[in-house]
Amino acid sequence: MSKPKKSILVIRLSAMGDVAMTVPVLNGLCRKYPDIKITVLTRAFFAPFFRDLPNVTVFSADVKGKHKGTFGLYKLARELNKANKFYAIADLHNVLRSQILRKLINSKRLVSIDKGRKEKKALVSGSIFKQLKTTHERYADVFKVLGFPVDLSNPVFPNKSDLSKKLQTLLGLDSKKMIGIAPFAAHEGKMYPVDLMREVIASLSKDYKIILFGGGQKEIDILNNFENDFNNVINIAGKLSIDEELDVISNLDVMLSMDSGNAHMAAMLGVKTITIWGVTHPYAGFAPFNQPDEYALLADRNQFPKIPTSVYGNKYPENYREASRSISPKSIVDKIKAIL
């Protein structure tokens, strides 16, 4: 009789980039330890992120509906306990919600992520300026403590997805190399100015096919203007499911993104990912997975010495709002062309 697989519950409820960053770590975990079973507790929207991982199932948390609030967490815990017997819990979120939840779930072991808040506070205050442990490394540390060390140095990525007829029609069938561009971020201080991004798109669209990513009507309107103003530019924002977007991303030759979720989605699929950094900085540990340092294009710290002004880009002096304007469109275009 075969020995039952050890079952690990991984909690990472949000946000998009943080959830995407778990994928390379869990991929390494699955490949090294095929005898364990992993259940990822996250929002249903993020379930497609884990579609290529063996031995991984997603348990959807409806934190804005039936699992909302303390009573909802009790209900979620009952559902998890009824469906599974967990050897261990890996709390990769470690916020109040997950802290309450993990106390209600039956398990022999619990390890939660050390987010390095003290070091990050020192970084944004200017007390230190050095590379902190990456989020991927912090995730891997959790599994190491549980007895499952993971080597992230030689990752294996999924093959490019086959494009459906719908996607082939949308993207076209010519042989031009495809560049994804995701010009938006949660906070304005993390975004490249729209007028300069227009210059980037104008230059690149002469030789390459540009695929635009975004969400929300305001963003879609801006992207539609780009699509209408230039040849070889296709706006897919608001037109596809997350599964379909992942299929498109996996077929890109390079992704250009802000410090945002799209960068992590591309990197988890093994796509070359260039990132633009405004008031945030890779030293905080949120650079996309397995990308060379030179793929991160940084605002000029001689002009803006307080960078990083915050870990997430939500706090900055008013005159830092467009810090990324110090990155020239030509330097972005040259970097992409050098990679391609």
Side-chain angles (χ1 to χ4, degrees), residues 150-211:
V150 183
D151 181 7
L152 301 178
S153 62
N154 293 294
V156 177
F157 297 102
N159 295 326
K160 290 183 178 181
S161 299
D162 293 329
L163 296 177
S164 66
K165 287 187 177 180
K166 172 187 173 181
L167 295 179
Q168 291 178 30
T169 301
L170 180 63
L171 301 178
L173 297 175
D174 58 75
S175 59
K176 282 188 173 68
K177 290 190 174 181
M178 292 198 299
I179 301 170
I181 298 182
F184 303 108
H187 304 289
E188 194 172 349
K190 294 168 66 172
M191 283 172 47
Y192 196 56
V194 172
D195 61 313
L196 298 189
M197 184 57 77
R198 170 176 285 272
E199 293 183 34
V200 172
I201 293 172
S203 178
L204 290 172
S205 62
K206 295 174 184 177
D207 301 306
Y208 307 103
K209 185 181 296 185
I210 309 300
I211 314 299

Side-chain angles (χ1 to χ4, degrees), residues 55-125:
N55 298 336
V56 172
T57 58
V58 173
F59 197 104
S60 298
D62 183 9
V63 294
K64 294 185 177 180
K66 67 177 181 177
H67 300 140
K68 183 179 180 180
T70 304
F71 180 77
L73 292 178
Y74 274 100
K75 187 173 183 179
L76 177 57
R78 284 201 308 269
E79 293 173 9
L80 284 162
N81 287 330
K82 184 177 180 180
N84 302 270
K85 290 183 179 180
F86 297 110
Y87 164 75
I89 298 173
D91 184 358
L92 304 186
H93 204 167
N94 201 13
V95 295
L96 181 60
R97 179 186 287 148
S98 66
Q99 290 164 6
I100 294 172
L101 183 61
R102 70 198 192 197
K103 291 180 181 179
L104 304 173
I105 299 171
N106 300 327
S107 176
K108 294 180 179 179
R109 301 200 64 198
L110 162 68
V111 179
S112 58
I113 186 173
D114 175 6
K115 292 187 173 182
R117 289 188 174 95
K118 185 176 180 180
E119 306 99 285
K120 289 174 182 175
K121 185 177 180 180
L123 180 67
V124 300
S125 71

Side-chain angles (χ1 to χ4, degrees), residues 181 183 191-204 222 226 230 256 258 276 322-333:
I181 298 182
M191 283 172 47
Y192 196 56
V194 172
D195 61 313
L196 298 189
M197 184 57 77
R198 170 176 285 272
E199 293 183 34
V200 172
I201 293 172
S203 178
L204 290 172
I222 293 172
F226 288 153
F230 304 105
L256 173 65
M258 308 302 103
I276 295 174
E322 290 195 342
S324 62
R325 189 175 284 276
S326 60
I327 305 168
S328 72
K330 184 178 184 302
S331 67
I332 297 172
V333 171

Side-chain angles (χ1 to χ4, degrees), residues 119 122-132 280-284 298-299 301 304-309:
E119 306 99 285
L123 180 67
V124 300
S125 71
S127 300
I128 61 171
F129 185 65
K130 65 179 183 179
Q131 179 66 59
L132 303 184
T280 55
H281 195 281
Y283 277 6
L298 312 178
R301 287 191 80 247
F304 303 100
K306 294 181 181 179
I307 290 175
T309 61

